[in-house]
RNA sequence: CAGGGUGUAGCUCAGCUUGGUAGAGCGUCUGGUUUGGGACCAGAAGGUCGCAGGUUCAAAUCCUGUCUCCCUGACCA
């Protein structure tokens, strides 16, 4: 058994590690538990990487832990190279820390809370903005200390409404979170410079991990702040939708994606009568459209929203029936954040929920915001503002003339973009829709947390100034799952070399034969000497199960040694990504072949 | 949280309707034959049927409660 002894305490060993199946725990199974559905979940269980403990809580078995450590190491190298330094904060967080930011309210039930024996309330950290900002209050004392970027790799806790798909969404998961501190937005020490550095570091990290990913513009969400980018692993099974303009390189999450100019006019002449129809018991826009002999794209959808101000106002957002209202865009259009109206309150105010039309603005005081696509037609089907009725033949110019002349209608991009929409950057180009799994997210926080918690320092001009912050997250355990989701076939996982638990899977046929054992030791020793991590399947199994398990585990290179190959002076070599069976090669050529195959 | 489903051997599942000795396949263990893509023969171990209560002479099965886990939705690394 080779080891990684070094005589020096400063020289890092470049020797690869060698591990034998018989000495570790890799419980592969032919049949995954029936509750596993996503490929990453199924294969990580079948290949013996993880085992479930509870909903969204998993054991990371030796293979998974090796991969996680490799991902973490890549993250550390790139973060350190970008000028960040690692620290470790506790998972326990006193509830008082949330008093300033009120994020306990924003997070709500997502926050795991507990009480100690003295009745003090604690949270299990979902992220660490509060803790680190509080830490900095006592540690950042001079403008000369800026900029500063600190990170940690640590287990996070979120009581997800619905954990699922193995490591893709756990309640306990491993995350890298980084926080940067500045006094300026611009300049070498400013937030923008560090944000750009992090953007590059993330690009390096995910590239080195061997992932096919896209960096896209994103909504900041409850973390708060201004600019934000997400790093998405490109994968059809992803939960997130992103839109891409090939010509300009523009890419954004559907929550954020802008849509290019669309032609519209209030002055489209009516071409049919306004007719009322009885439409009882028709859930959903599709059944109504069918009953009215039209399609959702021939209908108007009027969503009742409420502003979140002290004295809330009603807002009606009108989009075409086949489009989705985007609340963030409505917020940007009217300059105030909104939320879906409570159904009871809306009914009490006179809205006939399910049958609302733009015409309701004549009877109720409200803000009317309309998407351009909802104006590009002469005749629409929409609600009749009375129970169980819709109208056809609605025409903006004829039926909303007063509101239009009164300037009561605001026209703005307020819907989610979708494939085929015009690009916001290049006229004539269209957006393409893709799916992705979010593995990283970077934010410009600004002063949200420093103001709430009171993190300020004296600047050069001896003026008190709130510290400007950025924060940068990577879902480490999710990255692993996303990688499997992105890279697998019917037989199992296909790991990129950089984050595979080992580089070489050495299948041993007849492991009890002395000459085989000798050949295996020599081979693995030589490979390890070149920095290659070798995994030896030394089990007393027949060849069939061994090959099946090798495919399942998915290490990049498979070598096979048997009495036959020894007799021929060969070792069989096969790449996991190749479908063909392995081919024998001269024993002396093998190490170089492995090195070539693993070269970046 | 709302809606739907589920819980019987390590895994996949049958048995439940109509109450009457706990079942199969895979896996595991033993012995033998095998040995390059999930072998064969013979044998063995392994379950208080999620938990609690109730009905009954008798409950995996019927009733009540409760918990678990999964799926669909809003949220997020």
């Amino acid at each position: 058994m080779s080891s990684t002894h070094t005589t020096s305490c400063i020289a890092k060993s470049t020797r690869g590690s060698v591990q034998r199946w018989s000495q570790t725990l890799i419980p592969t199974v032919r049949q995954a538990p029936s509750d596993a559905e996503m490929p990453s979940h199924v294969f990580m269980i079948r290949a013996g990487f993880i085992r479930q403990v509870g909903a969204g809580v998993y054991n990371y078995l030796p293979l998974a832990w090796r991969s996680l450590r490799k991902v973490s190491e890549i993250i550390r190298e790139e973060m350190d190279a970008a000028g960040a330094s690692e620290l470790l904060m506790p998972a326990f967080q006193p509830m008082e820390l949330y008093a300033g930011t009120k994020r306990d309210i924003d997070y709500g039930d997502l926050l795991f809370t507990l009480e100690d024996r003295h009745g003090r309330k604690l949270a299990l950290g979902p992220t660490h903005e509060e803790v680190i900002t509080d830490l900095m209050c006592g540690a950042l004392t001079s403008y000369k200390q800026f900029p500063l970027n600190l990170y940690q790799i640590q287990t996070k806790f979120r009581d997800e409404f619905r954990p699922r798909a193995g490591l893709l969404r756990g309640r306990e998961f491993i995350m890298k979170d980084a926080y940067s501190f500045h006094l300026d937005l611009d300049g070498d020490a400013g937030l923008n410079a560090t944000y750009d550095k992090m953007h590059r570091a993330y690009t390096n990290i995910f590239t080195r991990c061997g992932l096919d990913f896209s960096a896209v513009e994103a909504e900041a969400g409850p973390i708060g702040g201004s600019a934000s980018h997400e790093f998405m692993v490109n994968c059809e099974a992803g939960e997130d939708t992103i839109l891409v303009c090939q010509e300009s390189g523009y890419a954004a999450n559907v929550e954020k994606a802008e849509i290019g100019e669309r032609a519209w006019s209030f002055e489209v002449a009516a071409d049919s009568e306004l007719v009322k129809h009885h439409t009882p018991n028709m859930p959903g826009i599709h059944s109504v459209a069918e009953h009215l002999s039209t399609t959702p794209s021939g209908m108007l959808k009027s969503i009742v929203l409420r502003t979140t101000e002290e004295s809330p106002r009603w807002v009606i957002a009108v989009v075409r029936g086949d489009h989705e209202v985007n609340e963030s865009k409505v917020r940007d259009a009217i300059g105030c954040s909104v939320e879906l109206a409570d159904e009871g309150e809306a009914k009490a105010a006179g809205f006939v929920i399910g049958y609302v039309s733009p015409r309701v603005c004549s009877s109720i005081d409200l803000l009317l915001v309309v998407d351009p696509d909802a104006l590009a037609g002469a005749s629409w089907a929409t609600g009749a503002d009375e129970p169980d009725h819709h109208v056809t033949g609605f025409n903006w110019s004829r039926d909303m003339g007063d509101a239009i002349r009164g300037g009561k209608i605001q026209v703005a991009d307020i819907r989610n973009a979708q494939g085929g929409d015009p690009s916001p950057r290049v006229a004539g180009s269209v957006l393409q829709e893709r799916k992705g799994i979010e593995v990283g997210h970077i934010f410009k926080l600004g002063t949200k947390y420093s103001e709430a918690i009171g993190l300020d320092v004296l600047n050069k001009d001896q003026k008190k100034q709130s510290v400007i912050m950025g924060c940068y997250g990577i879902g480490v355990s999710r990255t692993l799952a996303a990688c499997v989701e992105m890279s697998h076939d019917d037989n199992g996982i296909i790991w990129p070399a950089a984050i595979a638990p080992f580089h070489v899977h050495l299948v041993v046929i007849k492991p009890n034969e002395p000459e085989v054992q000798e050949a295996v030791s020599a081979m693995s020793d030589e490979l390890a000497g070149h920095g290659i991590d070798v995994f030896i399947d030394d089990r007393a199994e027949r060849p069939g199960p061994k090959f099946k398990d090798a495919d399942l585990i998915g290490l990049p290179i498979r070598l096979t040694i048997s009495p036959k190959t020894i007799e021929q002076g060969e070792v069989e070599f096969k790449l996991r990504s190749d479908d063909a069976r392995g081919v024998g090669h001269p024993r002396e050529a093998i190490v170089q072949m492995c090195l070539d195959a693993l070269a970046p």
Side-chain angles (χ1 to χ4, degrees):
Chain A
M1 181 88 193
S2 62
S3 63
T4 53
H5 294 307
T6 62
T7 48
S8 165
C9 59
I10 50 173
K12 191 181 174 191
S13 170
T14 55
R15 208 179 155 76
S17 43
V18 176
Q19 195 161 59
R20 288 166 186 266
W21 192 308
S22 63
Q23 291 169 358
T24 183
L25 176 69
I26 306 174
T28 57
V29 285
R30 206 188 285 212
Q31 238 169 338
S34 55
D35 51 24
E37 294 193 346
M38 301 273 289
S40 64
H41 191 189
V42 170
F43 284 134
M44 288 183 90
I45 288 178
R46 284 195 52 206
F49 280 69
I50 58 172
R51 281 289 171 98
Q52 185 170 36
V53 177
V57 182
Y58 289 84
N59 289 309
Y60 303 114
L61 305 187
L63 287 179
W65 186 240
R66 282 191 65 93
S67 279
L68 287 168
R69 278 168 50 197
K70 292 199 170 185
V71 175
S72 301
E73 214 36 55
I74 290 171
I75 291 174
R76 287 192 172 98
E77 287 173 17
E78 294 296 333
M79 290 300 291
D80 292 350
S85 40
E86 186 173 1
L87 81 175
L88 184 60
M89 292 179 275
F92 275 136
Q93 306 182 346
M95 264 336 253
E96 294 95 285
L97 285 178
Y98 285 86
T101 62
K102 298 271 188 289
R103 217 155 53 117
D104 49 338
I105 315 262
D106 289 348
Y107 263 116
D109 291 335
L110 215 57
L111 202 61
F112 270 110
T113 56
L114 51 133
E115 227 173 77
D116 70 13
R117 63 171 69 200
H118 305 292
R120 292 181 289 231
K121 291 218 160 76
L122 298 161
L124 291 176
T127 61
H128 281 67
E129 282 83 1
E130 284 82 3
V131 174
I132 200 161
T133 307
D134 182 65
L135 168 68
M136 291 303 139
C137 284
L140 266 184
T141 50
S142 159
Y143 70 90
K144 295 168 190 164
Q145 292 171 284
F146 293 88
L148 188 59
N149 191 0
L150 300 169
Y151 74 96
Q152 63 176 347
I153 295 175
Q154 184 210 37
T155 299
K156 295 284 190 275
F157 301 87
R158 292 185 193 173
D159 197 357
E160 293 285 348
F161 288 118
R162 195 157 81 79
R164 64 168 141 161
L167 298 189
L168 274 180
R169 176 177 311 182
R171 294 195 297 168
E172 176 179 326
F173 59 99
I174 299 174
M175 178 173 171
K176 188 281 305 183
D177 48 326
Y179 307 89
S180 71
F181 303 89
H182 317 266
L183 289 180
D184 304 293
L185 289 174
D186 300 317
D188 287 348
L191 169 64
N192 294 339
T194 297
Y195 187 86
D196 291 344
K197 266 190 202 169
M198 286 294 102
H199 195 292
R200 283 195 296 275
Y202 274 40
T203 302
N204 294 343
I205 288 167
F206 295 123
T207 302
R208 282 183 60 187
C209 284
L211 299 173
D212 171 25
F213 69 98
S214 307
V216 307
E217 293 181 17
E219 270 292 316
I223 305 259
S226 52
S228 136
H229 283 82
E230 286 169 333
F231 289 77
M232 299 276 191
V233 170
N234 297 318
C235 167
E236 272 314 303
E239 296 186 284
D240 289 282
T241 303
I242 61 182
L243 289 133
V244 180
C245 166
Q246 298 250 285
E247 289 200 37
S248 62
Y250 176 82
N253 192 306
V254 65
E255 296 160 6
K256 175 78 175 177
E258 303 160 34
I259 304 173
E261 284 294 311
R262 287 163 282 158
W264 62 275
S265 167
F266 285 128
E267 304 306 325
V268 182
D271 60 4
S272 53
E273 297 288 307
L274 192 66
V275 182
K276 190 156 79 178
H277 302 265
H278 189 45
T279 54
N281 303 321
M282 292 181 192
I285 198 154
H286 287 278
S287 48
V288 176
E290 196 174 322
H291 185 256
L292 300 177
S293 305
T294 178
T295 58
S297 62
M299 299 190 63
L300 296 180
K301 189 151 74 179
S302 305
I303 304 294
V304 183
L305 303 167
R306 229 167 174 209
T307 63
T308 55
E309 301 161 297
E310 286 242 340
S311 46
R313 288 169 291 165
W314 295 107
V315 179
I316 301 289
V318 183
V319 297
R320 218 169 68 185
D322 56 331
H323 291 151
E324 295 293 327
V325 170
N326 181 314
E327 290 177 23
S328 302
K329 288 185 176 182
V330 173
R331 176 198 64 205
D332 294 343
I334 68 169
C336 177
S337 64
V338 295
E339 60 189 10
L340 204 58
D342 176 78
E343 194 168 328
E345 289 178 29
K347 280 179 176 162
F351 293 102
V352 188
I353 297 296
Y355 305 91
V356 176
S357 88
R359 296 190 298 158
V360 73
C361 76
S362 62
S363 57
I364 302 175
D365 184 38
L366 52 79
L367 292 171
L368 188 60
V369 193
V370 186
D371 185 79
D373 288 321
L375 294 167
S379 175
W380 298 94
T382 184
D385 294 305
E386 56 182 273
D388 296 339
H389 286 82
H390 281 79
V391 297
T392 53
F394 171 85
N395 174 271
W396 286 97
S397 169
R398 181 191 64 205
D399 302 319
M400 297 291 290
D402 289 345
I404 292 169
R405 281 185 294 279
K408 282 169 131 181
I409 304 180
Q410 186 178 353
V411 180
D413 170 19
I414 55 165
R415 69 167 173 90
N416 283 345
Q418 55 189 36
D421 281 340
S423 162
R425 295 289 180 274
V426 179
S429 180
V430 296
L431 294 172
Q432 291 176 359
E433 197 168 308
R434 296 198 197 143
K435 289 288 182 183
I437 299 169
E438 182 188 354
V439 290
H441 202 158
I442 58 179
F443 303 84
K444 291 183 185 177
L445 289 177
T447 53
K448 172 174 169 166
Y449 292 91
S450 49
E451 279 177 15
I453 294 177
L455 172 60
D456 39 40
V457 298
L458 285 183
N459 64 19
K460 226 174 191 163
D461 307 323
Q462 301 197 348
K463 289 212 178 98
K464 228 182 208 186
Q465 186 187 334
S466 284
V467 172
I468 297 168
M469 294 171 58
C471 82
Y472 318 92
I474 291 178
V476 179
S477 42
R478 179 185 279 182
T479 297
L480 212 59
C483 178
V484 177
E485 210 58 55
M486 177 199 88
S487 178
H488 66 266
D489 62 16
D490 290 346
N491 298 319
I493 305 170
I494 305 174
W495 288 107
I499 62 174
F502 295 88
H503 301 117
V504 169
H505 190 125
L506 185 45
V507 174
V508 187
I509 310 286
K510 299 204 187 215
N512 292 327
E513 306 280 332
E515 80 268 20
V516 172
Q517 289 174 3
E518 206 170 300
V520 166
S521 297
M523 184 83 258
S524 58
D525 202 49
E526 192 181 344
L527 288 166
H530 285 81
I532 294 172
D533 294 336
V534 186
F535 177 66
I536 304 172
D537 184 355
D538 60 344
R539 295 174 301 169
E541 284 287 344
R542 295 163 55 83
K546 291 194 162 197
F547 291 134
K548 286 288 184 191
D549 279 341
D551 286 345
L552 198 52
I553 292 169
L555 303 184
I557 299 170
R558 191 187 80 195
L559 299 179
T560 307
I561 292 181
S562 70
K564 207 184 300 174
T565 66
I566 292 172
E567 193 185 323
Q568 293 164 343
E570 292 186 335
V571 170
E572 184 186 294
F573 178 99
K574 176 188 175 297
L575 294 177
R576 175 62 180 87
S577 51
D578 276 352
D579 283 335
R581 292 169 84 98
V583 182
H585 292 270
R587 163 70 177 78
E588 310 76 53
I590 292 296
V591 172
Q592 194 54 49
M593 287 181 72
C594 290
L595 289 172
D596 291 346
L598 295 169

